[in-house]
Amino acid sequence: EVQLVESGGGLVQSGGSLRLSCAASGFTFSSSVMKWVRQAPGKGLEWVALIGTSGARTTYADSVRGRFTISRDNAKNTLYLQMNGLKPEDTAVYYCAWASNRGQGTQVTVSS
């Protein structure tokens, strides 16, 4: 059974930082391209960042490039998202995703 469990969300002031984690199990994590997506209140899913299997290849949405960093630890089957310079418009539920699977999400709220 595929399991993706996100953690690390919370309430932070504008300009602050958070680090999200996603513990993965039930599939071969080290061979899997992983993504972070988010859903803001009343909006659809938005792709945030993608990382290749070794971690060498990363891509970002324009809205987060230069502020967010996606990384992974294949030995720990864990995906990360370091978020710096947070803005109120980053407020959303953040999900890690593999193929068509995603976790339950972690809430990130940025106050102005």
Side-chain angles (χ1 to χ4, degrees):
E1 177 189 5
V2 173
Q3 286 197 324
L4 298 165
V5 181
E6 301 92 342
S7 61
L11 173 63
V12 63
Q13 289 188 331
S14 183
S17 298
L18 284 173
R19 188 194 196 204
L20 306 184
S21 299
C22 172
S25 62
F27 62 103
T28 307
F29 180 80
S30 59
S31 300
S32 301
V33 174
M34 298 296 296
K35 297 180 291 186
W36 285 99
V37 298
R38 67 185 180 185
Q39 187 165 25
K43 297 189 177 181
L45 279 175
E46 176 190 16
W47 167 74
V48 173
L50 177 148
I51 187 166
T53 55
S54 71
R57 178 173 66 99
T58 58
T59 56
Y60 298 92
D62 289 345
S63 57
V64 307
R65 187 176 295 113
R67 299 187 297 122
F68 290 12
T69 303
I70 187 172
S71 63
R72 65 191 298 159
D73 185 335
N74 285 342
K76 295 182 178 179
N77 283 3
T78 303
L79 180 71
Y80 303 100
L81 185 68
Q82 177 67 45
M83 306 186 294
N84 299 327
L86 283 161
K87 306 175 181 180
E89 52 263 44
D90 294 318
T91 294
V93 179
Y94 284 72
Y95 303 90
C96 67
W98 168 66
S100 61
N101 303 278
R102 55 185 166 106
Q104 84 290 346
T106 187
Q107 175 71 47
V108 172
T109 302
V110 185
S111 63
S112 57

